[in-house]
Amino acid sequence: MYDVVVVGGGPSGATAAEDLVRSGHSVALLDREGRIKPCGGAIPPRLMEDFHITDDQLVAKVNTARMISPTGRHVDIPIENGFVGMVDRKDFDPFLRARAAEAGAE
């Protein structure tokens, strides 16, 4: 019997499971195997700090966003605070689930 069952082991679910375990709850984390979420994987520096995401999880640091119109015109927009970290969800999601499991989620 668990106090909480978290359905979905993406970033939100895995992080919630870890936080709940660290708050003293017994947690079951359920996720579907073999699913890779198509997502940009952008993580701002503040989130990296708040959730203890280290640079080794990043595949790139992006300092400019480019918007391209249907006619091909573009504008470059500098990223505030220096950069946005980019992760590969096929690696990042299992990292977060493993971290939740190490904390005690099942």
Side-chain angles (χ1 to χ4, degrees):
M1 181 65 99
Y2 298 97
D3 296 330
V4 180
V5 176
V6 176
V7 178
S12 296
T15 301
E18 181 187 5
D19 286 349
L20 287 161
V21 166
R22 294 192 188 283
S23 296
H25 301 281
S26 61
V27 178
L29 175 59
L30 305 177
D31 193 54
R32 187 174 27 194
E33 281 293 324
R35 173 185 60 84
I36 298 173
K37 174 111 175 163
C39 169
I43 299 179
R46 176 62 191 263
L47 185 141
M48 291 177 64
E49 180 181 327
D50 289 350
F51 292 95
H52 311 290
I53 306 301
T54 57
D55 277 358
D56 64 328
Q57 289 298 313
L58 302 181
V59 295
K61 289 184 176 180
V62 177
N63 58 19
T64 304
R66 176 171 281 181
M67 296 178 65
I68 304 171
S69 75
T71 63
R73 293 181 11 175
H74 70 271
V75 61
D76 291 338
I77 304 166
I79 305 271
E80 289 183 21
N81 301 320
F83 73 94
V84 169
M86 302 301 294
V87 297
D88 187 336
R89 293 284 302 272
K90 76 173 178 51
D91 300 320
F92 187 62
D93 290 15
F95 161 78
L96 293 175
R97 288 192 293 272
R99 196 163 74 169
E102 288 169 10
E106 296 182 24

